[in-house]
mmCIF file of all heavy atoms in Angstrom:
data_model
loop_
_atom_site.group_PDB
_atom_site.id
_atom_site.type_symbol
_atom_site.label_atom_id
_atom_site.label_comp_id
_atom_site.label_asym_id
_atom_site.label_seq_id
_atom_site.Cartn_x
_atom_site.Cartn_y
_atom_site.Cartn_z
ATOM 1 N N ASN A 4 -12.687 -2.145 -14.665
ATOM 2 C CA ASN A 4 -12.776 -3.586 -14.652
ATOM 3 C C ASN A 4 -14.254 -3.987 -14.567
ATOM 4 O O ASN A 4 -15.081 -3.237 -14.077
ATOM 5 C CB ASN A 4 -12.049 -4.152 -13.398
ATOM 6 C CG ASN A 4 -10.569 -4.113 -13.597
ATOM 7 O OD1 ASN A 4 -10.035 -3.311 -14.338
ATOM 8 N ND2 ASN A 4 -9.869 -4.981 -12.930
ATOM 9 N N THR A 11 -16.548 -14.086 -15.317
ATOM 10 C CA THR A 11 -15.365 -13.635 -16.034
ATOM 11 C C THR A 11 -14.952 -12.260 -15.530
ATOM 12 O O THR A 11 -15.775 -11.365 -15.415
ATOM 13 C CB THR A 11 -15.668 -13.532 -17.549
ATOM 14 O OG1 THR A 11 -16.014 -14.852 -18.024
ATOM 15 C CG2 THR A 11 -14.441 -13.032 -18.304
ATOM 16 N N ILE A 12 -13.657 -12.143 -15.220
ATOM 17 C CA ILE A 12 -13.133 -10.878 -14.742
ATOM 18 C C ILE A 12 -12.328 -10.234 -15.880
ATOM 19 O O ILE A 12 -11.447 -10.889 -16.456
ATOM 20 C CB ILE A 12 -12.160 -11.113 -13.538
ATOM 21 C CG1 ILE A 12 -12.939 -11.759 -12.394
ATOM 22 C CG2 ILE A 12 -11.523 -9.815 -13.111
ATOM 23 C CD1 ILE A 12 -12.073 -12.254 -11.249
ATOM 24 N N THR A 13 -12.654 -9.009 -16.190
ATOM 25 C CA THR A 13 -11.873 -8.239 -17.154
ATOM 26 C C THR A 13 -11.041 -7.232 -16.385
ATOM 27 O O THR A 13 -11.599 -6.385 -15.679
ATOM 28 C CB THR A 13 -12.743 -7.510 -18.187
ATOM 29 O OG1 THR A 13 -13.519 -8.505 -18.895
ATOM 30 C CG2 THR A 13 -11.930 -6.702 -19.156
ATOM 31 N N ARG A 14 -9.720 -7.354 -16.459
ATOM 32 C CA ARG A 14 -8.772 -6.495 -15.753
ATOM 33 C C ARG A 14 -8.273 -5.452 -16.740
ATOM 34 O O ARG A 14 -7.603 -5.761 -17.676
ATOM 35 C CB ARG A 14 -7.630 -7.322 -15.225
ATOM 36 C CG ARG A 14 -6.515 -6.547 -14.565
ATOM 37 C CD ARG A 14 -5.365 -7.527 -14.227
ATOM 38 N NE ARG A 14 -4.260 -6.932 -13.551
ATOM 39 C CZ ARG A 14 -3.173 -6.454 -14.184
ATOM 40 N NH1 ARG A 14 -3.106 -6.438 -15.492
ATOM 41 N NH2 ARG A 14 -2.177 -5.984 -13.479
ATOM 42 N N ASP A 15 -8.631 -4.202 -16.515
ATOM 43 C CA ASP A 15 -8.283 -3.135 -17.421
ATOM 44 C C ASP A 15 -7.054 -2.361 -16.876
ATOM 45 O O ASP A 15 -7.164 -1.623 -15.941
ATOM 46 C CB ASP A 15 -9.463 -2.173 -17.592
ATOM 47 C CG ASP A 15 -9.292 -1.262 -18.800
ATOM 48 O OD1 ASP A 15 -8.134 -0.810 -19.052
ATOM 49 O OD2 ASP A 15 -10.264 -1.014 -19.507
ATOM 50 N N ALA A 16 -5.909 -2.627 -17.469
ATOM 51 C CA ALA A 16 -4.652 -2.083 -16.993
ATOM 52 C C ALA A 16 -4.528 -0.577 -17.223
ATOM 53 O O ALA A 16 -3.649 0.051 -16.645
ATOM 54 C CB ALA A 16 -3.471 -2.775 -17.655
ATOM 55 N N ARG A 17 -5.407 0.036 -17.981
ATOM 56 C CA ARG A 17 -5.271 1.441 -18.291
ATOM 57 C C ARG A 17 -5.529 2.349 -17.106
ATOM 58 O O ARG A 17 -5.107 3.501 -17.097
ATOM 59 C CB ARG A 17 -6.197 1.827 -19.464
ATOM 60 C CG ARG A 17 -5.783 1.104 -20.749
ATOM 61 C CD ARG A 17 -6.742 1.364 -21.885
ATOM 62 N NE ARG A 17 -8.028 0.709 -21.541
ATOM 63 C CZ ARG A 17 -9.147 0.856 -22.255
ATOM 64 N NH1 ARG A 17 -9.135 1.653 -23.295
ATOM 65 N NH2 ARG A 17 -10.238 0.249 -21.937
ATOM 66 N N ARG A 19 -5.874 0.847 -13.518
ATOM 67 C CA ARG A 19 -5.858 0.145 -12.234
ATOM 68 C C ARG A 19 -4.930 0.733 -11.219
ATOM 69 O O ARG A 19 -5.226 0.744 -10.041
ATOM 70 C CB ARG A 19 -5.642 -1.361 -12.460
ATOM 71 C CG ARG A 19 -4.231 -1.830 -12.631
ATOM 72 C CD ARG A 19 -4.176 -3.333 -12.869
ATOM 73 N NE ARG A 19 -4.795 -4.071 -11.797
ATOM 74 C CZ ARG A 19 -4.132 -4.670 -10.838
ATOM 75 N NH1 ARG A 19 -2.823 -4.642 -10.775
ATOM 76 N NH2 ARG A 19 -4.778 -5.324 -9.876
ATOM 77 N N GLU A 35 -10.432 -2.057 -7.842
ATOM 78 C CA GLU A 35 -11.039 -2.476 -9.091
ATOM 79 C C GLU A 35 -12.143 -3.507 -8.873
ATOM 80 O O GLU A 35 -13.132 -3.521 -9.594
ATOM 81 C CB GLU A 35 -9.972 -3.023 -10.054
ATOM 82 C CG GLU A 35 -9.308 -4.335 -9.627
ATOM 83 C CD GLU A 35 -8.063 -4.647 -10.404
ATOM 84 O OE1 GLU A 35 -7.635 -3.853 -11.246
ATOM 85 O OE2 GLU A 35 -7.480 -5.720 -10.145
ATOM 86 N N GLN A 83 -6.935 -15.091 -7.733
ATOM 87 C CA GLN A 83 -5.536 -14.950 -8.076
ATOM 88 C C GLN A 83 -4.607 -15.168 -6.890
ATOM 89 O O GLN A 83 -5.005 -14.929 -5.749
ATOM 90 C CB GLN A 83 -5.198 -13.667 -8.804
ATOM 91 C CG GLN A 83 -5.166 -12.450 -7.924
ATOM 92 C CD GLN A 83 -4.628 -11.223 -8.652
ATOM 93 O OE1 GLN A 83 -3.424 -11.109 -8.871
ATOM 94 N NE2 GLN A 83 -5.504 -10.325 -9.024
ATOM 95 N N GLU A 126 4.547 -4.853 -17.505
ATOM 96 C CA GLU A 126 3.942 -6.166 -17.155
ATOM 97 C C GLU A 126 4.128 -7.131 -18.321
ATOM 98 O O GLU A 126 3.697 -6.824 -19.432
ATOM 99 C CB GLU A 126 2.470 -5.989 -16.811
ATOM 100 C CG GLU A 126 2.263 -5.180 -15.557
ATOM 101 C CD GLU A 126 0.821 -5.102 -15.108
ATOM 102 O OE1 GLU A 126 -0.102 -5.246 -15.958
ATOM 103 O OE2 GLU A 126 0.603 -4.887 -13.904
ATOM 104 N N ASP A 127 4.760 -8.230 -18.027
ATOM 105 C CA ASP A 127 4.912 -9.307 -19.001
ATOM 106 C C ASP A 127 3.859 -10.358 -18.699
ATOM 107 O O ASP A 127 3.750 -10.812 -17.561
ATOM 108 C CB ASP A 127 6.312 -9.978 -18.909
ATOM 109 C CG ASP A 127 7.403 -9.037 -19.377
ATOM 110 O OD1 ASP A 127 7.146 -8.164 -20.220
ATOM 111 O OD2 ASP A 127 8.552 -9.200 -18.917
ATOM 112 N N VAL A 128 3.065 -10.707 -19.686
ATOM 113 C CA VAL A 128 2.008 -11.672 -19.558
ATOM 114 C C VAL A 128 2.345 -12.923 -20.366
ATOM 115 O O VAL A 128 2.744 -12.787 -21.515
ATOM 116 C CB VAL A 128 0.668 -11.100 -20.068
ATOM 117 C CG1 VAL A 128 -0.476 -12.107 -19.882
ATOM 118 C CG2 VAL A 128 0.317 -9.786 -19.357
ATOM 119 N N ARG A 129 2.262 -14.073 -19.704
ATOM 120 C CA ARG A 129 2.539 -15.315 -20.391
ATOM 121 C C ARG A 129 1.697 -16.420 -19.792
ATOM 122 O O ARG A 129 1.128 -16.286 -18.726
ATOM 123 C CB ARG A 129 4.017 -15.666 -20.349
ATOM 124 C CG ARG A 129 4.518 -16.028 -19.000
ATOM 125 C CD ARG A 129 6.033 -16.318 -18.994
ATOM 126 N NE ARG A 129 6.450 -16.800 -17.724
ATOM 127 C CZ ARG A 129 6.638 -18.089 -17.406
ATOM 128 N NH1 ARG A 129 6.362 -19.022 -18.300
ATOM 129 N NH2 ARG A 129 7.014 -18.465 -16.216
ATOM 130 N N GLN A 130 1.603 -17.512 -20.542
ATOM 131 C CA GLN A 130 0.995 -18.720 -19.964
ATOM 132 C C GLN A 130 2.065 -19.583 -19.360
ATOM 133 O O GLN A 130 3.179 -19.704 -19.939
ATOM 134 C CB GLN A 130 0.303 -19.510 -21.060
ATOM 135 C CG GLN A 130 -1.078 -19.017 -21.417
ATOM 136 C CD GLN A 130 -1.795 -19.991 -22.321
ATOM 137 O OE1 GLN A 130 -1.180 -20.607 -23.198
ATOM 138 N NE2 GLN A 130 -3.078 -20.126 -22.125
ATOM 139 N N LEU A 149 -1.978 -21.414 -17.088
ATOM 140 C CA LEU A 149 -2.522 -20.288 -16.350
ATOM 141 C C LEU A 149 -1.859 -19.013 -16.831
ATOM 142 O O LEU A 149 -0.666 -19.006 -17.166
ATOM 143 C CB LEU A 149 -2.261 -20.437 -14.856
ATOM 144 C CG LEU A 149 -2.956 -21.584 -14.109
ATOM 145 C CD1 LEU A 149 -2.485 -21.634 -12.685
ATOM 146 C CD2 LEU A 149 -4.476 -21.396 -14.184
ATOM 147 N N LEU A 150 -2.613 -17.928 -16.882
ATOM 148 C CA LEU A 150 -2.016 -16.624 -17.199
ATOM 149 C C LEU A 150 -1.212 -16.160 -15.980
ATOM 150 O O LEU A 150 -1.694 -16.212 -14.851
ATOM 151 C CB LEU A 150 -3.091 -15.595 -17.522
ATOM 152 C CG LEU A 150 -3.759 -15.728 -18.870
ATOM 153 C CD1 LEU A 150 -4.846 -14.654 -19.020
ATOM 154 C CD2 LEU A 150 -2.776 -15.645 -20.008
ATOM 155 N N THR A 151 -0.019 -15.712 -16.232
ATOM 156 C CA THR A 151 0.810 -15.073 -15.205
ATOM 157 C C THR A 151 1.221 -13.703 -15.676
ATOM 158 O O THR A 151 1.480 -13.494 -16.861
ATOM 159 C CB THR A 151 2.094 -15.910 -14.862
ATOM 160 O OG1 THR A 151 2.929 -15.919 -16.004
ATOM 161 C CG2 THR A 151 1.717 -17.327 -14.478
ATOM 162 N N ILE A 152 1.240 -12.792 -14.750
ATOM 163 C CA ILE A 152 1.687 -11.421 -15.026
ATOM 164 C C ILE A 152 2.867 -11.143 -14.126
ATOM 165 O O ILE A 152 2.774 -11.282 -12.907
ATOM 166 C CB ILE A 152 0.573 -10.402 -14.703
ATOM 167 C CG1 ILE A 152 -0.707 -10.719 -15.480
ATOM 168 C CG2 ILE A 152 1.056 -8.968 -14.976
ATOM 169 C CD1 ILE A 152 -1.905 -9.921 -15.015
ATOM 170 N N THR A 153 3.999 -10.759 -14.744
ATOM 171 C CA THR A 153 5.125 -10.326 -13.958
ATOM 172 C C THR A 153 5.167 -8.818 -14.047
ATOM 173 O O THR A 153 5.423 -8.255 -15.126
ATOM 174 C CB THR A 153 6.450 -10.951 -14.432
ATOM 175 O OG1 THR A 153 6.342 -12.366 -14.294
ATOM 176 C CG2 THR A 153 7.633 -10.458 -13.595
ATOM 177 N N HIS A 169 1.737 -12.267 -10.509
ATOM 178 C CA HIS A 169 0.330 -12.619 -10.369
ATOM 179 C C HIS A 169 0.063 -13.910 -11.116
ATOM 180 O O HIS A 169 0.492 -14.061 -12.269
ATOM 181 C CB HIS A 169 -0.582 -11.550 -11.028
ATOM 182 C CG HIS A 169 -0.412 -10.178 -10.480
ATOM 183 N ND1 HIS A 169 -1.152 -9.674 -9.432
ATOM 184 C CD2 HIS A 169 0.463 -9.186 -10.842
ATOM 185 C CE1 HIS A 169 -0.789 -8.427 -9.178
ATOM 186 N NE2 HIS A 169 0.191 -8.112 -10.039
ATOM 187 N N LEU A 171 -3.170 -16.027 -12.304
ATOM 188 C CA LEU A 171 -4.628 -15.827 -12.372
ATOM 189 C C LEU A 171 -5.361 -17.150 -12.508
ATOM 190 O O LEU A 171 -4.933 -18.037 -13.260
ATOM 191 C CB LEU A 171 -4.948 -14.943 -13.597
ATOM 192 C CG LEU A 171 -4.188 -13.620 -13.667
ATOM 193 C CD1 LEU A 171 -4.589 -12.862 -14.930
ATOM 194 C CD2 LEU A 171 -4.396 -12.789 -12.440
ATOM 195 N N GLY A 172 -6.469 -17.250 -11.786
ATOM 196 C CA GLY A 172 -7.325 -18.416 -11.929
ATOM 197 C C GLY A 172 -8.030 -18.366 -13.279
ATOM 198 O O GLY A 172 -7.804 -17.488 -14.096
ATOM 199 N N GLY A 174 -10.911 -17.807 -16.102
ATOM 200 C CA GLY A 174 -11.930 -16.794 -16.364
ATOM 201 C C GLY A 174 -11.448 -15.351 -16.380
ATOM 202 O O GLY A 174 -12.251 -14.436 -16.043
ATOM 203 N N TRP A 175 -10.206 -15.070 -16.745
ATOM 204 C CA TRP A 175 -9.720 -13.692 -16.810
ATOM 205 C C TRP A 175 -9.578 -13.251 -18.251
ATOM 206 O O TRP A 175 -9.184 -14.007 -19.140
ATOM 207 C CB TRP A 175 -8.351 -13.611 -16.156
ATOM 208 C CG TRP A 175 -8.379 -13.568 -14.648
ATOM 209 C CD1 TRP A 175 -8.516 -14.641 -13.841
ATOM 210 C CD2 TRP A 175 -8.275 -12.421 -13.814
ATOM 211 N NE1 TRP A 175 -8.493 -14.236 -12.526
ATOM 212 C CE2 TRP A 175 -8.323 -12.884 -12.495
ATOM 213 C CE3 TRP A 175 -8.125 -11.069 -14.066
ATOM 214 C CZ2 TRP A 175 -8.272 -12.002 -11.402
ATOM 215 C CZ3 TRP A 175 -8.034 -10.195 -12.978
ATOM 216 C CH2 TRP A 175 -8.108 -10.688 -11.660
ATOM 217 N N THR A 176 -9.829 -11.948 -18.462
ATOM 218 C CA THR A 176 -9.505 -11.247 -19.702
ATOM 219 C C THR A 176 -8.615 -10.065 -19.293
ATOM 220 O O THR A 176 -8.961 -9.364 -18.321
ATOM 221 C CB THR A 176 -10.767 -10.707 -20.420
ATOM 222 O OG1 THR A 176 -11.578 -11.829 -20.772
ATOM 223 C CG2 THR A 176 -10.414 -9.898 -21.639
ATOM 224 N N LEU A 177 -7.526 -9.881 -19.982
ATOM 225 C CA LEU A 177 -6.641 -8.736 -19.702
ATOM 226 C C LEU A 177 -6.803 -7.722 -20.815
ATOM 227 O O LEU A 177 -6.732 -8.066 -22.000
ATOM 228 C CB LEU A 177 -5.173 -9.219 -19.602
ATOM 229 C CG LEU A 177 -4.915 -10.302 -18.585
ATOM 230 C CD1 LEU A 177 -3.430 -10.735 -18.633
ATOM 231 C CD2 LEU A 177 -5.316 -9.886 -17.204
ATOM 232 N N ARG A 178 -6.990 -6.455 -20.434
ATOM 233 C CA ARG A 178 -7.186 -5.385 -21.421
ATOM 234 C C ARG A 178 -6.114 -4.335 -21.267
ATOM 235 O O ARG A 178 -5.861 -3.838 -20.174
ATOM 236 C CB ARG A 178 -8.568 -4.738 -21.255
ATOM 237 C CG ARG A 178 -8.812 -3.616 -22.245
ATOM 238 C CD ARG A 178 -10.220 -3.098 -22.173
ATOM 239 N NE ARG A 178 -11.134 -4.168 -22.603
ATOM 240 C CZ ARG A 178 -12.307 -4.442 -22.046
ATOM 241 N NH1 ARG A 178 -12.759 -3.724 -21.039
ATOM 242 N NH2 ARG A 178 -13.067 -5.412 -22.520
ATOM 243 N N TYR A 179 -5.401 -4.025 -22.374
ATOM 244 C CA TYR A 179 -4.398 -3.016 -22.351
ATOM 245 C C TYR A 179 -4.691 -1.980 -23.461
ATOM 246 O O TYR A 179 -5.222 -2.346 -24.512
ATOM 247 C CB TYR A 179 -3.027 -3.639 -22.633
ATOM 248 C CG TYR A 179 -2.571 -4.551 -21.543
ATOM 249 C CD1 TYR A 179 -2.920 -5.893 -21.507
ATOM 250 C CD2 TYR A 179 -1.794 -4.076 -20.461
ATOM 251 C CE1 TYR A 179 -2.535 -6.743 -20.465
ATOM 252 C CE2 TYR A 179 -1.423 -4.911 -19.430
ATOM 253 C CZ TYR A 179 -1.786 -6.228 -19.436
ATOM 254 O OH TYR A 179 -1.393 -7.043 -18.435
ATOM 255 N N GLY A 180 -4.377 -0.730 -23.197
ATOM 256 C CA GLY A 180 -4.521 0.323 -24.194
ATOM 257 C C GLY A 180 -3.173 0.898 -24.486
ATOM 258 O O GLY A 180 -2.330 1.044 -23.607
#
Side-chain angles (χ1 to χ4, degrees):
N4 285 26
T11 299
I12 300 169
T13 299
R14 176 187 182 267
D15 196 321
R17 296 174 292 173
R19 82 181 304 259
E35 67 194 4
Q83 74 171 285
E126 293 185 336
D127 291 332
V128 181
R129 68 182 187 97
Q130 279 189 323
L149 294 175
L150 286 177
T151 65
I152 303 168
T153 300
H169 301 268
L171 307 180
W175 282 81
T176 297
L177 305 178
R178 180 173 294 141
Y179 294 86

